[in-house]
Each structure stands twice: as C-alpha cells, then as structure tokens.
C-alpha cells in the first residue's frame, strides 16, 4: 500500500470518530432537554394572600403624664403655721380647710390700720370745721381768697389721707382671711412643703394640690411630621405597670413653635382619668391616629423588593413564579405597606426575600393545605 493510500485511510478514521462524538453530544443535549425542570415548593407560611383590610395610619408618641390642673399653695402672710389639716395622698374638696397660719400678727396689723382710719377721720373733721369757718369769713371779705385756698388744700389732704387709710385697712382685713388656706379645687394632696409649728415667710410653699381627674401627655413630635397632626385626633397609649391595658385621649393643643435645638414640636394630649388609676409622672408610650383607610390591600414590607428604584413582588400564578411591579405607600407600625397599584385581591405573593427566586420558576404548594389553597 502506498503512502498516499495510508494517509487517506487515517483521515477517514478521524472523521468517523468525530462524527460519533458529535452524535453522542446531540443525544446528551436531547436527554438534558427532556429532563424535568426543578420545582420550588412553598408552604402556606411562605405566602401571603392579598385581601382588603382596614388600614389605620398612626404616629408614635412618647411622653410623661402630668396633672392637667396643679397648684402650689403659698403663704400670703408670714407667721407660725399652727395647723396643717391634710397629708399626702388625701382627697380634698373645693373650699376645704388645708392649713392655718397664726393670725396674731395680721390682727395687730388690722388694729393698726383701724387706728390710722380713726386718726384720719379726726383730722378730716378738724379740717372740715376749719374750712367751714374760713368760708364764712371769706364770704364777709374778712380773709383773702388765697388764705382760704390754703385752708381748702388742708381739707383735701386730710380727705385723701382718710381714703388711703381705709384702703390699707381693706388690705389688712384681707390678709386676715389669707391666714387660712383653703383648697381652690377638688383634688389630692401631692406634697406638704412645711410642717405644723414652723414659721413660714411670705410666699413660702405650704401644699401642692393636684387634680387627677384629667391628665396631660406632653410629647415631642418631629417637625417633619407635624403637618399630619391636628387638634382632636385620637391618642392610644400604654403605661408601665398596667399590663396590656390601653388608655385613650385626644390632642388638645399643638405648640406653635419648635423646641430650640431639637427641631421638634410639643404636642399636648388630654386624658380623662375618670377611675383615677393613672398618676402624674408615669411614662406613656402610644400612637396618635392619623387616618383610616377601608379596604386597603396590605402586604408585609418584607415581600417588597426594590431594584433600580422600582418596587416589585413575586407572585405565585398558575404554578409559576411571576414578578409583578407594584406601587406602595409607607409602612405602618405593624410592618405592612399598602399596595396602591400592581396587585388585586386574592393574589398570592411570597412573604420573604428568598434571594434565589427567578421569573418563570415552576412552583407549587407543599403540605396538607396545598389543595385547599389552589
């Protein structure tokens, strides 16, 4: 066999081998194409069924409760505190006697003012008699007009001194009443600042009285949120020590200016404490109701994904995972968002970001509830 014939036989053998390999690859590709695709299985806990629900938008509030009405009674006259009739925690009625200051000094002052009034009356009587005498002489031209004017001036001065003495007597008599401290409103004694037997100075604190029938919650709200608040909005809150009991109130006032250095605005809510269980100084945490939307489509915030500024969710439709673009509102306190566009009632979406989901992936429900959920 010639060399040329051998070469031709070798080339033919290589071609046969290559053809066989190509055929094998095609068979493997065909087998791979016919192989079943992987199916993602979900449980009922992995999915959320979109249903219309009421949505209440709220804003968190925290603050300290304080009595709406509080007064610290002070000594209006100096003297010895001879009686202190109440103690901390006792209830008092409006007008009830709380404390009494020794009136001896005040009585002495009243007596002195009464003496001043009597002296002023005597001086006025003498000045009037002198004026009447001089008036008769003036009428007969026995004295000059200038001389009579001096007598008239003395009379006017005596009359003014009498009026001043009478005014001081009124003040002194009022001080006599100020020696007795009475409750200006019905409430409870919060603190006694003095004890019976002590000498108290003018304006010294005696008793602090509070009215717990109405309380005030003062809370600082960020300035960016203040436009969402208005007077009479409902407030719900909890207080430490009262388990899960929820108390209610309403916004009564909104401060017109921000707090210096904090960029927050103080909001004041009023709580009707009719049963008297709440106390001043308790820390409260709650929310203010902004508005309520009926029939809102709510989904967990964890189900919404964002890519390149676009929000979407993964829905289970006809046994396939489908990506659906959505438009959502802000999240509420429960971690839910309102879907404004993109979903309809009855849609089933994936609650959590599983990371490996892709558009078009085959999916099905697993577990005993799978048939009922279809």
């Amino acid at each position: 066999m010639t060399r040329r014939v051998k070469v031709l036989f070798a080339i033919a053998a290589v071609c046969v081998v290559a053809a066989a390999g190509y055929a094998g690859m095609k068979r493997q590709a065909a087998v791979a194409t016919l192989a079943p695709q992987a199916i993602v299985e979900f449980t009922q806990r992995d999915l959320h069924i979109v249903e219309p629900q009421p949505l209440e938008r709220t804003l968190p509030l925290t603050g300290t409760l304080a009595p709406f009405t509080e007064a610290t009674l002070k000594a209006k006259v100096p003297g010895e505190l001879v009686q202190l009739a109440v103690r901390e925690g006792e209830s008092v009625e409006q007008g009830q006697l709380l404390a009494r200051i020794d009136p001896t000094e005040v009585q002495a002052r009243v007596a002195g003012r009464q003496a001043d009034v009597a002296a002023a009356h005597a001086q006025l009587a003498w000045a009037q008699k002198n004026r009447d005498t001089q008036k008769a002489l003036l009428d007969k031209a026995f004295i000059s007009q200038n001389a009579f004017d001096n007598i008239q001036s003395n009379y006017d001065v005596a009359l003014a001194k009498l009026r001043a003495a009478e005014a001081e007597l009124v003040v002194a008599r009022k001080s006599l009443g100020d020696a007795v401290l009475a409750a200006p409103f019905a409430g409870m004694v919060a603190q006694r600042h003095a004890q019976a037997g002590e000498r108290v100075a003018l304006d010294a604190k005696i008793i602090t009285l509070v009215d717990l029938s109405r309380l005030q919650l003062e809370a600082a709200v960020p300035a960016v949120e203040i436009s969402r608040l208005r007077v009479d909005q409902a407030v719900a809150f909890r207080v430490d020590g009262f388990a899960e009991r929820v108390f209610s109130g309403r916004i009564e006032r909104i401060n017109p200016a921000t707090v210096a250095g904090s960029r927050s605005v103080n909001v004041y809510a009023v709580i009707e404490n009719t049963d008297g269980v709440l106390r001043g100084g308790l820390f409260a945490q709650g929310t203010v109701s902004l508005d309520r939307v009926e029939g809102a489509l709510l989904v967990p915030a964890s189900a919404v994904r964002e890519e390149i500024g676009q929000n979407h969710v993964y829905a289970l439709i006809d046994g396939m995972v489908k990506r659906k673009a959505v438009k959502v509102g802000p999240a509420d306190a429960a971690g839910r968002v309102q879907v404004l566009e993109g979903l309809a009632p009855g849609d089933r979406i994936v609650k959590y970001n599983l990371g490996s989901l892709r558009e078009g992936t085959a999916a099905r429900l697993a577990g005993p509830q799978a048939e009922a959920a279809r």
Side-chain angles (χ1 to χ4, degrees):
M1 182 180 297
T2 64
R3 179 185 179 109
R4 182 177 179 183
V5 174
K6 292 181 179 180
V7 172
L8 292 175
F9 273 114
I11 294 174
V14 171
C15 291
V16 171
V17 172
Y22 178 71
M25 291 176 62
K26 287 183 65 178
R27 286 194 298 272
Q28 291 178 358
V31 171
T33 302
L34 296 176
Q37 184 180 6
I39 299 177
V40 178
E41 291 189 345
F42 295 103
T43 65
Q44 283 295 109
R45 290 180 299 178
D46 297 327
L47 301 178
H48 173 79
I49 300 177
V50 180
E51 295 177 346
Q53 302 177 45
L55 170 62
E56 187 172 6
R57 295 188 177 92
T58 60
L59 185 69
L61 289 181
T62 58
T64 303
L65 296 177
F68 188 81
T69 303
E70 179 177 355
T72 298
L73 306 184
K74 298 181 180 181
K76 296 181 180 180
V77 294
E80 180 184 354
L81 188 62
V82 295
Q83 183 182 6
L84 197 58
V86 292
R87 295 183 176 275
E88 290 86 350
E90 291 185 1
S91 298
V92 297
E93 298 295 330
Q94 184 176 3
Q96 179 178 335
L97 173 67
L98 302 180
R100 189 190 304 273
I101 298 174
D102 185 2
T104 302
E105 296 181 16
V106 181
Q107 289 173 343
R109 191 177 302 113
V110 171
R113 296 296 177 263
Q114 288 175 335
D116 292 341
V117 170
H121 267 294
Q123 290 179 354
L124 179 63
W126 178 85
Q128 183 176 2
K129 181 179 180 181
N130 189 28
R131 186 195 65 170
D132 293 342
T133 301
Q134 296 301 317
K135 181 67 170 60
L137 295 176
L138 177 64
D139 292 341
K140 296 178 181 180
F142 289 157
I143 62 172
S144 65
Q145 182 65 44
N146 188 41
F148 178 77
D149 290 342
N150 290 333
I151 299 301
Q152 180 66 40
S153 177
N154 293 337
Y155 172 82
D156 293 339
V157 170
L159 180 60
K161 287 183 178 180
L162 174 61
R163 290 174 177 172
E166 289 175 340
E168 291 179 356
L169 178 59
V170 171
V171 174
R173 285 173 174 170
K174 181 182 181 299
S175 298
L176 188 61
D178 290 340
V180 177
L181 275 69
F185 53 83
M188 297 182 66
V189 178
Q191 186 176 0
R192 300 197 312 177
H193 302 279
Q195 300 297 329
E198 294 183 9
R199 179 175 178 82
V200 293
L202 182 65
D203 283 337
K205 295 180 179 180
I206 305 297
I207 289 177
T208 296
L209 194 66
V210 297
D211 180 9
L212 295 180
S213 62
R214 300 181 75 202
L215 296 177
Q216 176 177 276
L217 173 62
E218 178 180 352
V221 176
V224 296
E225 302 286 356
I226 202 65
S227 62
R228 305 168 65 188
L229 297 181
R230 65 182 183 276
V231 174
D232 284 335
Q233 281 179 321
V235 175
F237 63 93
R238 288 184 172 89
V239 177
D240 293 341
F242 289 89
E244 296 301 315
R245 180 174 176 179
V246 178
F247 299 89
S248 61
R250 61 179 180 83
I251 294 179
E252 185 186 64
R253 306 186 314 278
I254 300 175
N255 201 301
T258 60
V259 179
S262 67
R263 295 189 178 275
S264 61
V265 178
N266 285 339
V267 175
Y268 304 91
V270 174
I271 296 93
E272 300 294 337
N273 187 30
T274 53
D275 54 3
V277 297
L278 296 176
R279 294 291 187 268
L282 295 178
F283 183 74
Q285 291 181 305
T287 58
V288 55
S289 178
L290 300 176
D291 55 28
R292 183 181 177 88
V293 179
E294 299 293 343
L297 299 182
L298 302 179
V299 301
S302 58
V304 181
R305 298 156 177 79
E306 182 181 358
E307 293 182 5
I308 318 178
Q310 297 293 326
N311 293 320
H312 67 274
V313 297
Y314 283 110
L316 186 59
I317 303 175
D318 298 331
M320 303 287 288
V321 174
K322 299 292 185 180
R323 174 171 168 165
K324 304 190 72 173
V326 294
K327 180 180 178 182
V328 298
D332 64 3
R336 305 174 303 174
V337 294
Q338 180 186 5
V339 178
L340 305 175
E341 296 178 5
L343 292 179
D347 287 348
R348 288 181 294 173
I349 65 172
V350 181
K351 284 184 180 179
Y352 313 107
N353 187 356
L354 301 180
S356 59
L357 292 180
R358 296 292 183 270
E359 173 84 13
T361 303
R364 67 185 178 189
L365 282 175
Q369 297 179 338
E371 292 298 327
R374 291 180 181 175

